[in-house]
């Protein structure tokens, strides 16, 4: 069986991962929170390209309560890969952050992914080659001013994955983090061209990452030959963090 669920499938990176995995023979759950039209369009596009596979758009609010998370997981067909590509950030000084926004940021980036991991573990442990991939950030390794909470949430994922990977390694379930630097997605489109040019000048590779720079590593981690790679945070930064 090759079925994965991509949380945040409607995002810039999530869509590229979905297209790459579909081409590699995977059936997919395409998670969305509020971009239903984008998710349905992606599902229909992939179904027309790969009619022998299943592509299901599925909604979940990452601010959902425990009962809602449990019901969501109970309704899923078996999956042997879980990819967390969702995430939010509130750009600004920490001392000016709204407390409700701060709590929501930590829940979306950290708490709900951990809860879903806990709920999906029994299904994942049934398979010889199963995978969890979290989308981290360069700022989990080298924190960013004006994104303090975001940096904290991504750094926490790294420590969690190191610990959790030890618990499940013998079962064939691997747990890894892909941590991009600046990626050319709508999330970074809020910045002006001048700001983005300044960022590019700080990156030795001289450019922002593309979605395919990330999806390449997803495809490789999903291979059975990657069973021995677990508990790792792989920084995909063009030399930005060395």
């Amino acid at each position: 069986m090759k079925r994965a669920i991509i949380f945040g499938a409607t995002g810039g990176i999530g869509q590229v991962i979905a297209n790459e995995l579909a081409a590699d023979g995977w059936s997919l759950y395409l998670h969305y929170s509020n971009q239903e039209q984008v998710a349905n369009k992606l599902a229909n596009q992939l179904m027309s390209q790969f009619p022998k596979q299943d592509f299901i758009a599925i909604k979940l609010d990452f601010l959902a309560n425990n009962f809602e998370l449990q019901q969501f997981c109970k309704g899923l067909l078996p999956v042997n890969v879980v990819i967390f590509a969702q995430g939010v950030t509130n750009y600004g000084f920490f001392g000016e952050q709204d407390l409700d926004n701060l709590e929501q940021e930590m829940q979306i980036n950290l708490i709900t992914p951990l809860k879903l991991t806990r709920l999906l573990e029994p299904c994942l442990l049934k398979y010889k080659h199963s995978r969890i991939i979290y989308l981290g950030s360069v700022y989990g390794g080298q924190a960013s001013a004006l994104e303090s909470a975001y940096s904290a949430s991504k750094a926490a994922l790294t420590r969690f994955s190191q610990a959790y990977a030890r618990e499940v390694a013998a079962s064939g379930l691997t747990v890894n983090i892909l941590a991009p630097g600046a990626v050319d997605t709508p999330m970074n489109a809020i910045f002006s061209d001048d700001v983005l040019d300044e960022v590019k000048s700080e990156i030795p590779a001289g450019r922002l990452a593309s979605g395919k720079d990330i999806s390449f590593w997803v495809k490789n981690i999903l291979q059975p030959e990657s069973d021995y790679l677990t508990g790792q945070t792989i920084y995909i930064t063009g030399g930005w963090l060395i």
Side-chain angles (χ1 to χ4, degrees), residues 49-65:
Q49 290 180 271
F50 309 101
K52 294 183 179 180
Q53 297 154 231
D54 298 323
F55 302 98
I56 304 171
I58 191 165
K59 181 177 182 177
L60 177 67
D61 187 344
F62 264 51
L63 300 177
N65 61 39

Side-chain angles (χ1 to χ4, degrees), residues 21 24 131 133 214-227 229:
L21 295 192
D24 206 30
R131 304 283 186 262
I133 298 175
I214 316 306
S215 64
F216 169 84
W217 290 100
V218 174
K219 287 197 304 180
N220 279 275
I221 289 174
L222 265 51
Q223 299 302 314
E225 293 82 2
S226 292
D227 277 350
L229 178 74

Side-chain angles (χ1 to χ4, degrees), residues 55-161:
F55 302 98
I56 304 171
I58 191 165
K59 181 177 182 177
L60 177 67
D61 187 344
F62 264 51
L63 300 177
N65 61 39
N66 290 342
F67 176 77
E68 291 169 329
L69 295 177
Q70 290 168 340
Q71 293 303 112
F72 173 85
C73 291
K74 285 181 181 179
L76 296 176
L77 295 168
V79 296
N80 56 341
V81 167
V82 181
I83 299 168
F84 291 95
Q86 88 305 324
V88 295
T89 186
N90 294 308
Y91 194 78
F93 289 106
F94 185 75
E96 299 174 356
Q97 293 290 322
D98 178 87
L99 294 183
D100 288 337
N101 288 343
L102 178 60
E103 184 175 0
Q104 290 177 8
E105 185 174 356
M106 297 304 289
Q107 186 167 347
I108 292 170
N109 291 350
L110 178 63
I111 301 302
T112 295
L114 265 59
K115 289 181 177 181
L116 289 169
T117 297
R118 157 66 182 83
L119 292 170
L120 292 169
E121 178 189 275
C123 178
L124 293 168
L125 292 181
K126 293 178 181 179
Y127 300 99
K128 185 177 180 181
H129 308 287
S130 50
R131 304 283 186 262
I132 297 175
I133 298 175
Y134 301 99
L135 197 66
S137 170
V138 62
Y139 294 148
Q142 180 174 297
S144 170
L146 303 180
E147 291 184 277
S148 297
Y150 178 80
S151 299
S153 68
K154 296 301 185 178
L157 279 177
T158 286
R159 291 295 173 258
F160 169 76
S161 68

Side-chain angles (χ1 to χ4, degrees), residues 121 125 160-171 173 175:
E121 178 189 275
L125 292 181
F160 169 76
S161 68
Q162 289 174 335
Y164 183 55
R166 291 173 178 264
E167 296 181 20
V168 296
S171 71
L173 170 58
V175 185

Side-chain angles (χ1 to χ4, degrees), residues 25-62:
W26 288 85
S27 292
L28 301 172
Y29 277 113
L30 304 168
H31 160 262
Y32 68 95
S33 178
N34 48 39
Q35 297 193 73
E36 182 176 5
Q37 290 185 340
V38 176
N40 286 331
K41 181 180 179 181
L42 179 60
N44 290 332
Q45 169 201 319
L46 294 176
M47 280 190 287
S48 66
Q49 290 180 271
F50 309 101
K52 294 183 179 180
Q53 297 154 231
D54 298 323
F55 302 98
I56 304 171
I58 191 165
K59 181 177 182 177
L60 177 67
D61 187 344
F62 264 51

